[in-house]
Short mmCIF file of all heavy atoms in Angstrom, two decimals:
data_model
loop_
_atom_site.label_atom_id
_atom_site.label_comp_id
_atom_site.label_asym_id
_atom_site.label_seq_id
_atom_site.Cartn_x
_atom_site.Cartn_y
_atom_site.Cartn_z
N SER I 1329 -5.20 -7.08 -4.74
CA SER I 1329 -6.34 -7.66 -4.02
C SER I 1329 -5.95 -8.06 -2.61
O SER I 1329 -6.69 -7.79 -1.64
CB SER I 1329 -6.88 -8.88 -4.77
OG SER I 1329 -7.42 -8.52 -6.02
N LEU I 1330 -4.79 -8.69 -2.44
CA LEU I 1330 -4.35 -9.11 -1.11
C LEU I 1330 -4.03 -7.90 -0.23
O LEU I 1330 -4.34 -7.91 0.97
CB LEU I 1330 -3.12 -10.01 -1.23
CG LEU I 1330 -3.37 -11.39 -1.84
CD1 LEU I 1330 -2.05 -12.10 -2.13
CD2 LEU I 1330 -4.24 -12.24 -0.91
N SER I 1331 -3.43 -6.88 -0.81
CA SER I 1331 -3.12 -5.67 -0.04
C SER I 1331 -4.41 -5.02 0.45
O SER I 1331 -4.49 -4.57 1.61
CB SER I 1331 -2.31 -4.68 -0.90
OG SER I 1331 -1.07 -5.23 -1.28
N TYR I 1332 -5.40 -4.97 -0.40
CA TYR I 1332 -6.68 -4.37 -0.02
C TYR I 1332 -7.37 -5.20 1.05
O TYR I 1332 -7.85 -4.68 2.07
CB TYR I 1332 -7.57 -4.22 -1.26
CG TYR I 1332 -8.90 -3.57 -0.96
CD1 TYR I 1332 -8.97 -2.22 -0.62
CD2 TYR I 1332 -10.07 -4.32 -1.01
CE1 TYR I 1332 -10.20 -1.62 -0.34
CE2 TYR I 1332 -11.30 -3.73 -0.73
CZ TYR I 1332 -11.35 -2.38 -0.39
OH TYR I 1332 -12.56 -1.80 -0.10
N GLU I 1333 -7.40 -6.50 0.84
CA GLU I 1333 -8.11 -7.39 1.76
C GLU I 1333 -7.43 -7.47 3.12
O GLU I 1333 -8.06 -7.28 4.17
CB GLU I 1333 -8.23 -8.78 1.14
CG GLU I 1333 -8.91 -9.81 2.03
CD GLU I 1333 -8.93 -11.20 1.40
OE1 GLU I 1333 -8.91 -11.29 0.16
OE2 GLU I 1333 -8.96 -12.18 2.15
N LYS I 1334 -6.12 -7.75 3.11
CA LYS I 1334 -5.41 -8.03 4.36
C LYS I 1334 -5.02 -6.77 5.12
O LYS I 1334 -4.99 -6.78 6.36
CB LYS I 1334 -4.16 -8.87 4.06
CG LYS I 1334 -4.45 -10.25 3.53
CD LYS I 1334 -5.20 -11.10 4.55
CE LYS I 1334 -5.48 -12.50 4.05
NZ LYS I 1334 -6.21 -13.32 5.07
N LEU I 1335 -4.68 -5.71 4.40
CA LEU I 1335 -4.17 -4.51 5.07
C LEU I 1335 -5.25 -3.46 5.30
O LEU I 1335 -5.32 -2.87 6.38
CB LEU I 1335 -3.03 -3.91 4.25
CG LEU I 1335 -1.82 -4.82 4.03
CD1 LEU I 1335 -0.76 -4.11 3.20
CD2 LEU I 1335 -1.23 -5.31 5.34
N VAL I 1336 -6.09 -3.23 4.30
CA VAL I 1336 -7.12 -2.20 4.44
C VAL I 1336 -8.33 -2.74 5.19
O VAL I 1336 -8.73 -2.20 6.23
CB VAL I 1336 -7.53 -1.64 3.06
CG1 VAL I 1336 -8.64 -0.60 3.21
CG2 VAL I 1336 -6.32 -1.03 2.36
N LEU I 1337 -8.93 -3.81 4.68
CA LEU I 1337 -10.16 -4.32 5.27
C LEU I 1337 -9.93 -5.00 6.62
O LEU I 1337 -10.67 -4.76 7.58
CB LEU I 1337 -10.85 -5.29 4.30
CG LEU I 1337 -11.31 -4.71 2.97
CD1 LEU I 1337 -12.02 -5.77 2.16
CD2 LEU I 1337 -12.22 -3.50 3.18
N GLU I 1338 -8.91 -5.85 6.70
CA GLU I 1338 -8.71 -6.61 7.93
C GLU I 1338 -7.88 -5.86 8.97
O GLU I 1338 -8.23 -5.84 10.15
CB GLU I 1338 -8.06 -7.97 7.62
CG GLU I 1338 -8.94 -8.90 6.82
CD GLU I 1338 -8.32 -10.27 6.61
OE1 GLU I 1338 -7.30 -10.60 7.27
OE2 GLU I 1338 -8.85 -11.02 5.77
N ALA I 1339 -6.78 -5.24 8.55
CA ALA I 1339 -5.88 -4.58 9.50
C ALA I 1339 -6.26 -3.12 9.77
O ALA I 1339 -5.78 -2.53 10.74
CB ALA I 1339 -4.44 -4.67 9.02
N GLY I 1340 -7.08 -2.54 8.91
CA GLY I 1340 -7.53 -1.18 9.12
C GLY I 1340 -6.49 -0.11 8.80
O GLY I 1340 -6.60 1.03 9.26
N ILE I 1341 -5.48 -0.45 8.01
CA ILE I 1341 -4.52 0.55 7.55
C ILE I 1341 -5.19 1.40 6.48
O ILE I 1341 -5.98 0.90 5.68
CB ILE I 1341 -3.25 -0.12 7.00
CG1 ILE I 1341 -2.60 -1.01 8.08
CG2 ILE I 1341 -2.24 0.92 6.51
CD1 ILE I 1341 -1.41 -1.81 7.59
N SER I 1342 -4.91 2.68 6.47
CA SER I 1342 -5.59 3.56 5.51
C SER I 1342 -5.24 3.16 4.08
O SER I 1342 -4.11 2.77 3.79
CB SER I 1342 -5.22 5.01 5.75
OG SER I 1342 -3.94 5.31 5.25
N LEU I 1343 -6.22 3.28 3.21
CA LEU I 1343 -6.00 2.97 1.80
C LEU I 1343 -4.90 3.85 1.23
O LEU I 1343 -4.06 3.38 0.45
CB LEU I 1343 -7.29 3.17 1.01
CG LEU I 1343 -7.22 2.87 -0.48
CD1 LEU I 1343 -6.91 1.41 -0.73
CD2 LEU I 1343 -8.54 3.26 -1.16
N MET I 1344 -4.86 5.11 1.62
CA MET I 1344 -3.83 6.03 1.13
C MET I 1344 -2.43 5.50 1.45
O MET I 1344 -1.53 5.52 0.60
CB MET I 1344 -4.02 7.41 1.75
CG MET I 1344 -3.07 8.48 1.23
SD MET I 1344 -3.45 9.01 -0.46
CE MET I 1344 -4.94 9.98 -0.19
N ASP I 1345 -2.23 5.04 2.69
CA ASP I 1345 -0.92 4.53 3.09
C ASP I 1345 -0.54 3.26 2.34
O ASP I 1345 0.62 3.07 1.97
CB ASP I 1345 -0.89 4.27 4.60
CG ASP I 1345 -0.81 5.54 5.42
OD1 ASP I 1345 -0.56 6.61 4.84
OD2 ASP I 1345 -1.00 5.45 6.65
N VAL I 1346 -1.51 2.39 2.14
CA VAL I 1346 -1.23 1.14 1.42
C VAL I 1346 -0.87 1.44 -0.03
O VAL I 1346 0.12 0.89 -0.56
CB VAL I 1346 -2.44 0.19 1.51
CG1 VAL I 1346 -2.25 -1.02 0.58
CG2 VAL I 1346 -2.64 -0.29 2.95
N ILE I 1347 -1.62 2.30 -0.69
CA ILE I 1347 -1.34 2.62 -2.09
C ILE I 1347 -0.01 3.35 -2.22
O ILE I 1347 0.72 3.17 -3.21
CB ILE I 1347 -2.49 3.42 -2.71
CG1 ILE I 1347 -3.79 2.58 -2.69
CG2 ILE I 1347 -2.17 3.83 -4.14
CD1 ILE I 1347 -3.67 1.23 -3.36
N ALA I 1348 0.37 4.16 -1.24
CA ALA I 1348 1.69 4.81 -1.27
C ALA I 1348 2.79 3.77 -1.35
O ALA I 1348 3.78 3.94 -2.08
CB ALA I 1348 1.88 5.68 -0.03
N LYS I 1349 2.63 2.67 -0.63
CA LYS I 1349 3.66 1.62 -0.60
C LYS I 1349 3.70 0.82 -1.89
O LYS I 1349 4.67 0.09 -2.14
CB LYS I 1349 3.42 0.71 0.61
CG LYS I 1349 3.66 1.41 1.94
CD LYS I 1349 3.18 0.58 3.12
CE LYS I 1349 3.56 1.24 4.44
NZ LYS I 1349 2.97 2.56 4.64
N LEU I 1350 2.67 0.96 -2.69
CA LEU I 1350 2.59 0.28 -3.98
C LEU I 1350 2.91 1.20 -5.16
O LEU I 1350 2.95 0.75 -6.30
CB LEU I 1350 1.19 -0.31 -4.18
CG LEU I 1350 0.83 -1.54 -3.35
CD1 LEU I 1350 -0.68 -1.68 -3.22
CD2 LEU I 1350 1.43 -2.80 -3.95
N THR I 1351 3.10 2.49 -4.89
CA THR I 1351 3.26 3.45 -5.99
C THR I 1351 4.39 4.44 -5.77
O THR I 1351 5.52 4.21 -6.17
CB THR I 1351 1.92 4.20 -6.23
OG1 THR I 1351 1.52 4.87 -5.02
CG2 THR I 1351 0.82 3.27 -6.67
N VAL I 1352 4.09 5.53 -5.09
CA VAL I 1352 5.05 6.63 -4.98
C VAL I 1352 6.29 6.25 -4.17
O VAL I 1352 7.40 6.71 -4.47
CB VAL I 1352 4.36 7.89 -4.40
CG1 VAL I 1352 3.94 7.69 -2.95
CG2 VAL I 1352 5.26 9.12 -4.54
N ASN I 1353 6.15 5.40 -3.15
CA ASN I 1353 7.31 5.04 -2.34
C ASN I 1353 8.36 4.26 -3.14
O ASN I 1353 9.54 4.64 -3.15
CB ASN I 1353 6.89 4.26 -1.10
CG ASN I 1353 6.18 5.11 -0.07
OD1 ASN I 1353 5.92 6.28 -0.31
ND2 ASN I 1353 5.83 4.54 1.07
N PRO I 1354 7.99 3.14 -3.80
CA PRO I 1354 9.00 2.47 -4.61
C PRO I 1354 9.55 3.33 -5.73
O PRO I 1354 10.73 3.25 -6.07
CB PRO I 1354 8.28 1.22 -5.14
CG PRO I 1354 6.83 1.49 -4.97
CD PRO I 1354 6.72 2.38 -3.78
N ALA I 1355 8.70 4.18 -6.31
CA ALA I 1355 9.18 5.09 -7.36
C ALA I 1355 10.24 6.03 -6.80
O ALA I 1355 11.25 6.32 -7.47
CB ALA I 1355 8.01 5.88 -7.94
N HIS I 1356 10.05 6.50 -5.59
CA HIS I 1356 11.01 7.40 -4.95
C HIS I 1356 12.34 6.70 -4.68
O HIS I 1356 13.41 7.23 -4.98
CB HIS I 1356 10.42 7.95 -3.65
CG HIS I 1356 11.41 8.70 -2.82
ND1 HIS I 1356 11.89 9.95 -3.17
CD2 HIS I 1356 12.04 8.37 -1.65
CE1 HIS I 1356 12.76 10.36 -2.26
NE2 HIS I 1356 12.87 9.42 -1.34
N VAL I 1357 12.27 5.50 -4.11
CA VAL I 1357 13.50 4.77 -3.76
C VAL I 1357 14.34 4.49 -5.00
O VAL I 1357 15.57 4.60 -4.97
CB VAL I 1357 13.16 3.46 -3.02
CG1 VAL I 1357 14.43 2.61 -2.80
CG2 VAL I 1357 12.50 3.76 -1.68
N TYR I 1358 13.68 4.15 -6.11
CA TYR I 1358 14.40 3.77 -7.32
C TYR I 1358 14.46 4.90 -8.36
O TYR I 1358 14.82 4.67 -9.51
CB TYR I 1358 13.78 2.50 -7.92
CG TYR I 1358 14.18 1.29 -7.10
CD1 TYR I 1358 13.43 0.90 -6.00
CD2 TYR I 1358 15.34 0.58 -7.38
CE1 TYR I 1358 13.81 -0.18 -5.21
CE2 TYR I 1358 15.73 -0.50 -6.61
CZ TYR I 1358 14.96 -0.86 -5.52
OH TYR I 1358 15.35 -1.93 -4.74
N ASN I 1359 14.10 6.12 -7.92
CA ASN I 1359 14.26 7.31 -8.78
C ASN I 1359 13.52 7.19 -10.11
O ASN I 1359 14.05 7.55 -11.17
CB ASN I 1359 15.75 7.59 -9.04
CG ASN I 1359 16.55 7.73 -7.76
OD1 ASN I 1359 16.29 8.61 -6.94
ND2 ASN I 1359 17.52 6.84 -7.57
#
């Protein structure tokens, strides 16, 4: 909820980029 509110709605970062940081990126770093 905070990621959506603060980063997507307020900061205008794309939803795709925000969700990447919550899903595929950490999965990649930790294999």
Side-chain angles (χ1 to χ4, degrees):
S1329 295
L1330 291 170
S1331 298
Y1332 182 69
E1333 178 183 332
K1334 295 296 181 180
L1335 301 180
V1336 178
L1337 297 183
E1338 294 184 13
I1341 302 175
S1342 77
L1343 180 64
M1344 184 73 73
D1345 285 349
V1346 171
I1347 298 305
K1349 293 170 174 61
L1350 287 158
T1351 58
V1352 67
N1353 289 4
H1356 171 72
V1357 173
Y1358 285 87
N1359 305 299

